[in-house]
Amino acid sequence: EHTTIENRVYGIRAGFTTKITWVYAARCGEWEKRLQPEVRDQVVNHRDPDFDHPSLLPETGEFKHFPLVATKLTMDPQQANLLANLGGWVVKNNAEIFQRALRAKEDDAADAAEKEDDEADAAEKDDDEADAADKEKRDGPEESEVPKGDLLQKDETLREEDEEAEAEALHLQAQQQGARLMRKAQRAVGKLGTQVVSAGGYMAAG
């Protein structure tokens, strides 16, 4: 399991956790034992006392440096076939690891789909609640099965509350209008004062 760091060149964001199954070329003793003798003799240097050491690679011959050979379009067919055989053998003999990696990918995809569904359900629920709230504002609360007397008392209470709210709104509106008139008057007085001062200056200068 690895956590990414930011790479703006490739559009990779930081903090993304992912699981990777690494497969790389290297010597494999079990695979080498199953090769035909004439092929194994070219891949493994049995004359060296440390011939089974992972870092010991052929230095000469048709399979020089195998399996760490340069993969290119001009690769020798013998090397390409042998490298493909090694890769296939590794995958087949480690099938459980690859199957587990694929199952994990499927599980992650299923979890992501489930999360997306949950988010969609939550968004739909929020929309329904918002629609219900809007409807209640427009139509008022749904009538409940309560005695008629209680309904009348409730209506009277609501009417009184509405009247009080309306009176408060009118009072606030009157205050706002008064404030606007006051500001207009102050501006008019200020303008008049400026004109008087200007006229006085003109008369003094004349």
Side-chain angles (χ1 to χ4, degrees):
E1 185 171 293
H2 301 270
T3 302
T4 60
I5 60 175
E6 185 180 19
N7 188 321
R8 297 183 179 178
V9 176
Y10 294 101
I12 299 174
R13 67 178 187 272
F16 178 73
T17 302
T18 183
K19 295 179 180 179
I20 300 177
T21 301
W22 294 101
V23 183
Y24 54 91
R27 286 188 61 183
C28 182
E30 291 299 321
W31 174 78
E32 291 175 354
K33 292 177 183 179
R34 288 165 171 74
L35 293 174
Q36 295 292 331
E38 59 272 17
V39 177
R40 184 171 59 249
D41 289 343
Q42 297 183 65
V43 175
V44 180
N45 184 4
H46 290 282
R47 291 184 296 275
D48 194 299
D50 296 326
F51 72 90
D52 58 347
H53 195 278
S55 64
L56 188 62
L57 304 176
E59 294 295 335
T60 58
E62 190 173 12
F63 298 102
K64 182 179 180 180
H65 298 160
F66 187 89
L68 304 184
V69 294
T71 54
K72 53 187 178 180
L73 295 177
T74 57
M75 190 176 182
D76 293 338
Q78 293 82 359
Q79 288 186 348
N81 289 334
L82 195 61
L83 190 61
N85 185 279
L86 172 60
W89 185 92
V90 169
V91 172
K92 184 176 180 180
N93 285 270
N94 295 276
E96 183 179 352
I97 295 176
F98 291 94
Q99 290 170 355
R100 187 166 59 247
L102 293 174
R103 282 196 300 270
K105 183 178 181 180
E106 293 174 355
D107 292 342
D108 290 343
D111 291 341
E114 183 177 357
K115 181 180 179 182
E116 185 176 348
D117 291 341
D118 291 341
E119 291 176 350
D121 291 341
E124 184 176 357
K125 182 179 179 182
D126 291 341
D127 291 340
D128 291 342
E129 291 177 352
D131 291 341
D134 291 341
K135 185 176 184 301
E136 185 174 352
K137 287 180 180 179
R138 292 193 307 268
D139 304 338
E142 296 181 357
E143 294 185 359
S144 58
E145 296 181 0
V146 295
K148 186 175 181 180
D150 292 344
L151 287 175
L152 293 174
Q153 181 63 35
K154 184 177 181 181
D155 289 343
E156 183 65 25
T157 302
L158 291 174
R159 186 160 49 251
E160 292 176 357
E161 291 178 353
D162 290 341
E163 291 175 354
E164 292 177 359
E166 185 177 359
E168 185 176 352
L170 290 173
H171 179 67
L172 179 60
Q173 185 178 3
Q175 286 182 331
Q176 292 174 344
Q177 290 177 346
R180 286 196 295 271
L181 291 173
M182 181 63 71
R183 287 194 294 271
K184 287 182 179 180
Q186 289 175 345
R187 286 196 296 270
V189 171
K191 185 177 181 181
L192 180 60
T194 302
Q195 291 175 349
V196 169
V197 171
S198 299
Y202 178 78
M203 292 173 62

